[in-house]
Amino acid sequence: MRLSGGGTLGYCLNVHPTQTFTEVRAALLGPVREIKRRLCPDRPFGVGLRLSAEAAAEAGVAAELAAIFGGEGFAAFTMNGFPYGRFHGAPVKEAVYEPDWTTAERVAYSLSLAETMAALVPSAGFATISTVPGGFAPRVTGREAAVADGLLQAVAGLVRLEQDTGRTVALALEPEPWCLLDSTADAVAFFRAHLFTEAAARRLGALAGLTADEAAAALPRHLGLCLDVCHMAVNFEEPAETLAVLAAAGIPIHKVQLSAALRIARADAAARERLAAFRDAVYLHQTVARAADGRVRRFVDLPQALESPGGEDEEWRVHFHVPLFAEPEPPLDSTSGALEGMLAIHRDRPVAPHLEVETYTWDVLPAEACGAGAMSVVDGIEREMRWVLERLS
């Protein structure tokens, strides 16, 4: 949906099974069609696409998507290019970051998604693809130069795509706890050291046939950040401070994912017992614990945090996307306040051209713990979208 204050709002298709194109088609012609009917039957409805590598490789994908989007009144504007493989119904955990940006597979996959998006957006249009922030930190730390070179190879492909089609596609790295770009500070340091440099401009120029000045201008047009508000909140980042830091560094925000994290104000025994219901075998739930004196402990997954001794007076933030409207019963809470802060800023001064609701955890959510009851996914997404629109109005 086009927002009156600027930008496009939609929701991410990764809430539905999308491993095969058959599943993508079923999602678009089933729940997405119904949500559009409820929210904006007479206006274009923004759909954040998600294609696995398997689905993207099927023949005729772009043409069929174009036909569906045209026939249904959907608007193509962004794609989630983070998960390469299966994302529902099987353990994902650390595998969601594979292949990372040191690999040819990640480059090729991202460019295939870009070609699809270029076929869907209007002439001279702009599309974004959110993607892995380098890779899983324990696997790629120390390989920053290789990550950067993979990104530069992808940007070179995006430059050629723009020259060939007139459509601009931008990659948006999505900082996430326990990734190479864990936080906003990590993202700024990485861009300054490896991307917004004379050496990177020369490398891109050689790859894309550009002068160094042309390459330096092309880099931020085709590469920036996707701010996931849940991830920011897990790291105890405040929206206004984060935006100021990125503006000072000159790093563009191409996309914002609207999401909220699970929170407890005090990690005592009762709160931990309630949190235990949120353990699951599918997704990674990175947890950050902060004591009153500012000391921080970081856990790669919720079970490790629950098993850790001490910390009864810590505040915990858990990377578990809860419904935006959720009002969990104490001692559980959410970080929806941080999301409301981001939306308030965007309402007054647009933060990014693309906003995407991304609560993908409905099938592992203990509904009774978050005030969602027995709500269907369609009802839940409709309520989330209305929640956002109310705060942007």
Side-chain angles (χ1 to χ4, degrees):
M1 291 180 281
R2 291 292 300 171
L3 299 171
S4 58
T8 302
L9 170 68
Y11 87 90
C12 186
L13 211 64
N14 71 351
V15 64
H16 308 297
T18 49
Q19 180 63 19
T20 66
F21 191 72
T22 297
E23 291 176 326
V24 173
R25 184 191 300 110
L28 291 170
L29 299 180
V32 180
R33 174 189 279 168
E34 173 60 18
I35 293 164
K36 180 190 185 303
R37 185 192 67 78
R38 297 183 187 186
L39 290 173
C40 56
D42 302 319
R43 291 179 291 121
F45 180 64
V47 177
L49 277 167
R50 189 262 157 169
L51 295 174
S52 70
E54 177 184 345
E58 294 188 30
V61 164
E64 184 164 355
L65 283 173
I68 292 172
F69 272 59
E72 297 291 330
F74 300 150
F77 70 110
T78 193
M79 187 179 289
N80 188 331
F82 200 125
Y84 179 95
R86 183 167 294 280
F87 196 62
H88 282 276
V92 176
K93 298 294 183 180
E94 296 94 332
V96 75
Y97 311 112
E98 300 297 329
D100 60 50
W101 273 103
T102 67
T103 68
E105 290 83 0
R106 176 60 66 174
V107 175
Y109 169 59
S110 301
L111 289 177
S112 74
L113 299 183
E115 290 174 2
T116 298
M117 290 304 295
L120 297 177
V121 297
S123 177
F126 177 70
T128 54
I129 299 173
S130 48
T131 187
V132 173
F136 189 48
R139 295 175 184 166
V140 298
T141 297
R143 305 176 66 198
E144 289 84 353
V147 168
D149 199 65
L151 290 165
L152 293 173
Q153 291 177 49
V155 171
L158 298 178
V159 169
R160 290 189 291 271
L161 184 67
E162 184 180 56
Q163 294 169 341
D164 292 341
T165 68
R167 277 79 169 175
T168 302
V169 180
L171 284 172
L173 297 166
E174 183 183 328
E176 179 175 321
W178 283 87
C179 288
L180 184 67
L181 276 60
D182 180 301
S183 63
T184 299
D186 291 330
V188 169
F190 183 77
F191 271 74
R192 283 177 172 167
H194 299 282
L195 294 173
F196 288 176
T197 67
E198 292 182 3
R202 289 194 300 271
R203 172 63 171 154
L204 177 58
L207 289 167
L210 303 175
T211 68
D213 287 345
E214 289 170 338
L219 261 168
R221 188 167 71 249
H222 293 287
L223 185 63
L225 292 183
C226 168
L227 294 185
D228 186 302
V229 184
C230 168
H231 301 172
M232 291 169 55
V234 171
N235 275 325
F236 290 86
E237 295 185 15
E238 294 296 331
E241 294 176 7
T242 293
L243 296 175
V245 167
L246 293 174
I251 300 174
I253 304 166
H254 290 311
K255 176 177 177 178
V256 175
Q257 285 182 327
L258 308 179
S259 53
L262 192 61
R263 171 185 178 270
I264 53 174
R266 189 171 182 274
D268 57 20
R272 292 188 188 212
E273 183 177 355
R274 291 289 300 281
L275 269 182
F278 289 83
R279 292 179 297 190
D280 69 72
V282 179
Y283 302 113
L284 200 63
H285 300 300
Q286 303 95 311
T287 302
V288 178
R290 187 172 73 175
D293 62 5
R295 287 181 298 169
V296 170
R297 296 193 297 159
R298 303 170 65 81
F299 304 92
V300 71
D301 205 355
L302 181 57
Q304 288 91 326
L306 292 171
E307 293 162 8
S308 66
E312 287 77 8
D313 293 326
E314 294 172 329
E315 177 182 349
W316 284 14
R317 306 255 180 117
V318 183
H319 177 216
F320 192 117
H321 289 221
V322 295
L324 307 187
F325 56 81
E327 296 180 358
E329 293 184 5
L332 300 179
D333 195 2
S334 83
T335 62
S336 61
L339 178 55
E340 291 190 272
M342 180 67 83
L343 292 172
I345 294 170
H346 183 87
R347 184 182 62 227
D348 296 335
R349 175 181 55 82
V351 171
H354 295 163
L355 306 181
E356 181 183 56
V357 172
E358 200 221 10
T359 305
Y360 57 81
T361 49
W362 289 92
D363 55 351
V364 296
L365 179 72
E368 72 282 355
C370 280
M375 186 177 297
S376 71
V377 172
V378 168
D379 289 342
I381 294 168
E382 178 193 3
R383 187 170 170 187
E384 286 192 305
M385 295 290 287
R386 293 191 186 281
W387 186 94
V388 171
L389 289 168
E390 288 171 3
R391 282 151 183 80
L392 290 175
S393 62

